[in-house]
Amino acid sequence: IRVSVDRVNVGVLVTDPSGKFAEGLQRNNFHIFDNGVEQPITDFLDVEEPAQALVLIEAGPAVYLLEGSHLRAAREFLGGLSPDDRVAVVKYADAPQGLVDFTANKQSAAAAFDELGFNLGFGSLNLSASLSKVLDWLNSVQGKKTIVLLSTGVDTSSTKQIQDLLNRLQTSDVRILAVSLTGDLRNPPPAGKKKSPSPKVAFTSQQFAEADMLLRQIAQTTGGQAYFPANSSELPAVFAHIAQMVRHEFSLAFVPPA
C-alpha cells in the first residue's frame, strides 16, 4: 500500500522545569525534525487560538452508579477553558450520540451534563467503535482538536475495531485525554452512600486491568495522557489540569519531503 501524506500536524505542550506552562512563544521558537532533518513549519497556532474540545462520556450502567460525581467534577474543566474555546458533548454506549454541538457557551455544555441519560440494560459499550465515529465527525473541524474521554475503558467492540482505531489514531490530528471512571467502582464508599451495584456492572480485576491498558493505549497513541483517579474526590484536580493542557497547546504543521 502506498500512502501519500501532504501535511503532518504536531501538537506541542511546553513547560518549564517546575511544570508551569509556557506562553508567548512564536513560530521561530520551534524547530521540527523529521528523521533527523529539519523541516519548514508551514502552519502555526499559538495558545491564544481557540481550542475545540469534545467531551465523550460513557453512559452505561457502571457509570450510573457514580451518581453524577464525574459530571460535577467536569465543570472544573469547563471553567478552566478560555472564553473562545469551543466545547461539544457526546455520550456513548452502543453508539455515540451528540448532545451539544461545538459552542463557546460553556453553560450549554454544563446543561448537557445535567440532562445526560444512562443505558441501564445489558447494552454494549462500544468504546472503540464510538471513538472511530467521533473521529469521522471531527474531520471537518479545523484547529486544535482534543477529545476528553470519560470512560471505564470497558470495550465490547470487536478485536478488529479496536485495532483499526489504534492504527487510525497514529495518523490522527486529534489528541485524546482519557479519564478512568473506575476508581469508585474498585474502591466503593461505605454502604448506603451510593447506589447498590448489580451483577450487570460487576467487574473482575482482569477486566479492570484490560480497561486501563486500553485507555493508556488510546491516549498515548495520540500523544495524550490517561488519568486514573483513585476516587471521585480526585476528579476536580484532574479536570482542572486537563483544561490547562487544552488551553496551552501549540499546534504546528509541516509538509513531509516524501
Side-chain angles (χ1 to χ4, degrees):
I1 300 175
R2 183 178 297 275
V3 179
S4 177
V5 177
D6 57 13
R7 174 189 172 100
V8 177
N9 293 297
V10 184
V12 181
L13 295 170
V14 184
T15 62
D16 64 16
S18 67
K20 182 180 179 181
F21 290 102
E23 300 184 22
L25 300 179
Q26 303 299 321
R27 182 194 296 246
N28 59 6
N29 294 123
F30 294 88
H31 299 270
I32 294 180
F33 292 84
D34 181 24
N35 292 324
V37 179
E38 185 167 3
Q39 304 297 328
I41 297 174
T42 58
D43 298 84
F44 176 78
L45 297 175
D46 63 22
V47 295
E48 299 300 325
E49 291 290 334
Q52 326 294 324
L54 185 146
V55 182
L56 180 60
I57 308 168
E58 179 181 322
V63 179
Y64 170 72
L65 297 177
L66 300 179
E67 294 188 318
S69 59
H70 59 304
L71 300 178
R72 290 190 294 273
R75 294 176 183 273
E76 296 283 342
F77 167 69
L78 299 177
L81 295 174
S82 297
D84 292 339
D85 291 339
R86 300 168 69 235
V87 181
V89 181
V90 177
K91 72 172 184 177
Y92 81 92
D94 56 336
Q97 178 183 342
L99 302 179
V100 174
D101 201 355
F102 281 104
T103 176
N105 186 337
K106 311 306 187 294
Q107 291 181 340
S108 294
F113 293 165
D114 297 333
E115 298 171 3
L116 182 69
F118 295 89
N119 182 352
L120 301 181
F122 286 98
S124 302
L125 289 175
N126 293 325
L127 170 56
S128 293
S130 297
L131 266 173
S132 290
K133 186 65 175 178
V134 169
L135 291 176
D136 291 338
W137 296 348
L138 291 177
N139 277 337
S140 60
V141 176
Q142 301 299 315
K144 301 180 292 186
K145 294 179 281 188
T146 299
I147 294 176
V148 180
L149 173 63
L150 282 60
S151 173
T152 61
V154 174
D155 195 354
T156 56
S157 304
S158 68
T159 301
K160 182 179 185 303
Q161 287 174 315
I162 294 173
Q163 191 56 55
D164 286 347
L165 171 70
L166 294 175
N167 291 338
R168 180 177 182 181
L169 291 177
Q170 291 181 5
T171 57
S172 171
D173 62 349
V174 179
R175 181 179 53 180
I176 297 180
L177 302 173
V179 181
S180 172
L181 300 179
T182 61
D184 281 331
L185 300 178
R186 300 178 208 234
N187 308 294
K193 293 189 176 181
K194 290 283 182 178
K195 299 182 178 74
S196 299
S198 73
K200 299 177 184 178
V201 295
F203 293 104
T204 66
S205 57
Q206 180 180 351
Q207 287 175 311
F208 280 133
E210 292 173 352
D212 290 353
M213 182 174 68
L214 180 59
L215 289 181
R216 286 192 181 94
Q217 284 183 299
I218 287 173
Q220 292 174 0
T221 301
T222 67
Q225 186 171 339
Y227 301 81
F228 298 92
N231 52 60
S232 57
S233 66
E234 295 183 4
L235 284 171
V238 167
F239 285 119
H241 184 259
I242 288 176
Q244 290 298 303
M245 293 182 69
V246 171
R247 285 186 60 184
H248 290 91
E249 181 184 13
F250 297 90
S251 180
L252 291 68
F254 71 96
V255 176

